[in-house]
Amino acid sequence: MSPQNHILPNQVALVTGASSGIGRATALALAQAGAAVIVNYIGDSKPADDAVASIENGGGRALAIAADVSNEAQVEAMFKQAIDAFGTLHILINNAGIEKDRPFTEMSLADWQQVIDVNLTGQFLCARAAIREFLRRGVQQDVSKAAGKIVCISSVHQYIPWAQHANYAASKGGVMLLVETLAQEFASRKVRVNAIAPGAIKTAINRHAWGTPAALDKLLQMIPYGRVGEAEDIGNAVVWLCSDAADYITGTTLVIDGGMTLYPSFSTGQG
């Protein structure tokens, strides 16, 4: 890690769902920017330990902590462990999320509830714990202009309806208004809250959409820019949003989708 790339020195970041995909890429990007990183995970510890090892091998500091973000007690314990280890927290990346798609008439209450619990309630619980720490500590002028920064990973489906994914789309629509409400409520305390809405990103959770030539060709028809996004595209944007270069930005959603939300079927002008 070269010092000139350290735009987040002396800061501590917690990334939920950080053992794979967008979360892992974001954790690595934050570490490369100089932040100490808490790698949250659930289940198998090896991918999280591997992420920590990658950060430490690059000269950074990291700690893996297991916690189910939908469980209040586990979230509170995770934040306590993180703050005990690193002294405070400056950045939260609310990334953990799941999909349980079903036709709406076949969607069980359990399918609905689990997605809402992880994707929306989990973001609430983590944001609440983070903001409490931001307000307790206040602004450290030598570290950041803001008391704290939160980036919630949403989806283009906070805007685009998605048949057979009613639980997922509803959760992401909720994230959008949670972000805007928190940004409004805590801006005067110098807490910035923003979201990133990824489009199609090449991760394991959606391999079915890009893993074969036929699937990839179909997907690319919806992406004017002509490529599927990489997890690093999100990680790089997160670093910028958390830096002082973005200090005047709060309550907004940065869409990173290669133009997917630009109605590509209208691109010929034929209507």
Side-chain angles (χ1 to χ4, degrees):
M1 298 182 194
S2 58
Q4 62 266 29
N5 292 331
H6 285 188
I7 63 173
L8 300 173
N10 303 314
Q11 298 193 45
V12 180
L14 190 156
V15 184
T16 67
S19 61
S20 64
I22 289 172
R24 177 188 171 91
T26 297
L28 295 178
L30 288 165
Q32 288 166 1
V37 182
I38 294 92
V39 176
N40 162 255
Y41 71 97
I42 190 170
D44 183 9
S45 65
K46 186 177 185 308
D49 291 338
D50 288 346
V52 168
S54 293
I55 290 169
E56 292 178 338
N57 290 340
R61 296 183 299 155
L63 173 67
I65 302 180
D68 177 352
V69 298
S70 69
N71 182 295
E72 182 177 23
Q74 291 186 34
V75 168
E76 292 297 316
M78 172 174 64
F79 275 81
K80 183 179 186 305
Q81 185 179 348
I83 292 166
D84 286 347
F86 292 109
T88 189
L89 184 77
H90 303 91
I91 295 166
L92 167 66
I93 312 303
N94 257 334
N95 169 73
I98 61 171
E99 292 181 24
K100 290 182 74 71
D101 53 303
R102 298 280 189 280
F104 187 70
T105 52
E106 298 171 21
M107 186 174 290
S108 68
L109 179 58
D111 293 334
W112 172 270
Q113 196 65 62
Q114 187 177 4
V115 171
I116 297 297
D117 285 349
V118 174
N119 295 9
L120 184 55
T121 303
Q123 296 215 13
F124 155 72
L125 290 171
C126 291
R128 187 182 64 177
I131 291 172
R132 285 172 173 170
E133 173 60 15
F134 299 159
L135 298 183
R136 181 202 67 78
R137 190 201 61 245
V139 177
Q140 294 175 293
Q141 291 288 354
D142 59 332
V143 175
S144 174
K145 293 178 181 179
K149 287 85 56 140
I150 297 176
V151 178
C152 295
I153 305 301
S154 184
S155 165
V156 292
H157 293 292
Q158 72 175 41
Y159 302 119
I160 303 172
W162 200 11
Q164 301 188 25
H165 297 76
N167 46 7
Y168 184 85
S171 73
K172 296 304 184 179
V175 167
M176 178 178 69
L177 277 173
L178 177 64
V179 164
E180 293 174 357
T181 300
L182 295 180
Q184 180 193 68
E185 185 169 348
F186 294 103
S188 66
R189 306 291 295 275
K190 292 296 185 284
V191 173
R192 296 198 292 109
V193 187
N194 292 292
I196 287 178
I201 305 296
K202 207 175 276 190
T203 61
I205 196 172
N206 63 3
R207 186 178 298 274
H208 63 279
W210 55 266
T212 66
L216 179 60
D217 182 66
K218 182 178 180 181
L219 180 60
L220 289 176
Q221 292 176 28
M222 296 189 291
I223 306 173
Y225 201 62
R227 72 171 175 90
V228 180
E230 302 288 347
E232 290 74 17
D233 292 319
I234 309 304
N236 292 336
V238 166
V239 168
W240 176 75
L241 268 180
C242 292
S243 74
D244 280 353
D247 185 61
Y248 200 48
I249 300 174
T250 193
T252 195
T253 296
L254 176 60
V255 177
I256 304 178
D257 69 348
M260 179 180 282
T261 50
L262 299 178
Y263 295 92
S265 62
F266 284 79
S267 63
T268 61
Q270 300 304 306

